[in-house]
């Protein structure tokens, strides 16, 4: 039972991280930085990739 609760929590946290990472990616300052340098901020990548990993681990815990 506790694995299912941990899985659900990880999925919720993962979705929140993905949303936060996308918000950072889509922010005006980030868009301006990408326009001039072509680089995406590390915070955006960390949120999106970290969130995806949390979701995948959460799904695995539910099975």
């Amino acid at each position: 039972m506790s694995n299912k609760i941990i899985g659900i929590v990880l999925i919720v946290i993962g979705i929140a991280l993905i949303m936060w990472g996308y918000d950072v990616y889509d922010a005006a300052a980030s868009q301006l930085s990408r326009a001039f340098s072509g680089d995406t901020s590390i915070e955006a990548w960390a949120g999106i990739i970290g969130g995806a990993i949390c979701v995948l681990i959460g799904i695995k815990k539910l099975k």
Side-chain angles (χ1 to χ4, degrees):
M1 184 65 162
S2 65
N3 274 345
K4 289 190 180 205
I5 293 171
I6 292 170
I8 292 169
V9 169
L10 282 172
I11 290 171
V12 170
I13 290 172
I15 291 171
L17 279 173
I18 291 170
M19 290 172 40
W20 174 76
Y22 182 74
D23 283 343
V24 171
Y25 177 80
D26 199 36
S30 183
Q31 288 179 1
L32 189 61
S33 173
R34 279 195 317 273
F36 288 113
S37 68
D39 292 335
T40 304
S41 67
I42 191 70
E43 292 89 6
W45 285 115
I48 293 170
I49 293 172
I53 291 171
C54 283
V55 168
L56 291 174
I57 293 171
I59 290 171
K60 189 167 180 136
K61 289 261 186 206
L62 288 178
K63 290 185 178 182

